[in-house]
Amino acid sequence: MARTPIVGGNWKMFLDLAGAVQLATDVRHRLGSVRGVEVVVFPPFPFLKSVADRLAESAIGVGGQDLSSETSGAFTGAVAGPMLRSVGCSHVLVGHSERRSVFGDSDEMVARKLAAALAAGLKPVLCIGENLQERQKGETFSVVTRQLRSALAPYAGKTDALADLVLAYEPVWAIGTGLTATPEQAQEVHAHIRQEIADLLGKSFAAALRIQYGGSVKASSAPGLMQQPDIDGMLVGGASLKAEEFAQIVKFRQAN
Ligand code: PGA
């Protein structure tokens, strides 16, 4: 089954307004009419509207880096899914490892945020992945299985709700460290994830589901990762802050 690759640029807590608009302008210039690959950028909240305006009517989508599990109310500092929609977001990251490890989002909270994203009509990119200690103890598969089940088990038999779901496997030890998983290491986990999804949500859903790899992806490592049968895209942090390198990553086929 052909799965359209999807590449995300996670701008994290970098840039200022002028820098974000400039980056969006540069990314649009290089990728605004790209075909055959879906591209989404995830700017910090205060820049979303300006970036979405800058990318309007281009092929590039815009997403939030997180969302509240709540729809509205007295939740100081939080941002709700409908708010993201109203400033032009199509996508949202859910359960990024920095939200889990720095901000304490539990598996249960991630599941609630996923439900909130779907209720708001946002396309969720659900992030999972083990940390270094878990990998060293041989717990990689059990950790990603736990994370997948707690977020996705409620949708067994109800996969229509997950039509726009994308997964991102991001080994925490590879994020921002310069340590990319080898294509073979990543493929091994991606294949496990797809099998788990098949068991949980059915074979045809699993076959169509896109699973991104994330963690120190560079223009030089993108083609090798994308050659793996179960890697359907990349979620890029540091390298997405440079329009030229991000464009090279999106155009990974041309580097082959
Ligand atoms: P990195 O970040 O590419 O800088 O490792 C990836 C991510 O956190 O999504």
Side-chain angles (χ1 to χ4, degrees):
M1 154 141 1
R3 296 180 289 263
T4 303
I6 175 166
V7 178
N10 176 6
W11 297 358
K12 306 197 178 188
M13 198 176 77
F14 294 110
L15 304 166
D16 58 11
L17 178 60
V21 171
Q22 186 61 53
L23 181 55
T25 304
D26 294 346
V27 168
R28 181 176 188 142
H29 177 65
R30 288 176 165 84
L31 296 171
S33 55
V34 74
R35 281 160 198 258
V37 182
E38 191 178 343
V39 182
V40 190
V41 295
F42 297 90
F45 290 139
F47 313 146
L48 282 170
K49 175 78 169 73
S50 304
V51 168
D53 287 350
R54 202 67 209 80
L55 295 175
E57 277 143 54
S58 76
I60 303 163
V62 178
Q65 297 174 11
D66 184 39
L67 83 167
S68 172
S69 59
E70 304 293 333
T71 308
S72 78
F75 301 103
T76 303
V79 174
M83 297 176 181
L84 294 176
R85 283 297 301 265
S86 76
V87 293
C89 289
S90 48
H91 292 70
V92 66
L93 299 181
V94 178
H96 188 277
S97 70
E98 286 148 21
R99 299 303 313 180
R100 294 178 189 260
S101 67
V102 182
F103 298 94
D105 283 9
S106 62
D107 286 341
E108 194 227 327
M109 177 53 79
V110 171
R112 289 174 55 201
K113 289 184 173 187
L114 177 66
L118 295 170
L122 290 160
K123 299 175 181 176
V125 178
L126 175 66
C127 305
I128 56 174
E130 82 288 1
N131 64 31
L132 184 59
Q133 211 186 7
E134 291 161 341
R135 173 158 282 260
Q136 285 169 342
K137 285 201 275 176
E139 294 172 356
T140 299
F141 285 3
S142 63
V143 168
V144 299
T145 296
R146 189 200 76 225
Q147 292 171 332
L148 283 173
R149 287 199 187 148
S150 75
L152 298 177
Y155 303 95
K158 294 180 251 173
T159 51
D160 283 359
L162 300 179
D164 293 319
L165 176 73
V166 172
L167 293 184
Y169 168 60
E170 299 203 296
V172 178
W173 49 271
I175 296 180
T177 58
L179 292 172
T180 320
T182 64
E184 293 72 24
Q185 276 176 322
Q187 166 59 25
E188 185 188 26
V189 186
H190 279 234
H192 169 79
I193 292 168
R194 202 176 301 284
Q195 185 56 52
E196 277 298 321
I197 296 291
D199 294 347
L200 198 60
L201 301 173
K203 261 192 180 163
S204 63
F205 181 83
L209 180 69
R210 291 176 298 173
I211 310 173
Q212 296 178 304
Y213 168 79
S216 297
V217 173
K218 303 266 179 294
S220 55
S221 54
L225 288 162
M226 291 303 294
Q227 267 170 15
Q228 298 296 323
D230 288 296
I231 300 182
D232 310 310
M234 295 159 286
L235 183 54
V236 186
S240 73
L241 296 168
K242 293 169 259 171
E244 192 176 346
E245 179 155 22
F246 185 60
Q248 281 174 19
I249 292 170
V250 171
K251 295 176 179 175
F252 61 90
R253 286 194 188 93
Q254 294 169 18
N256 281 323

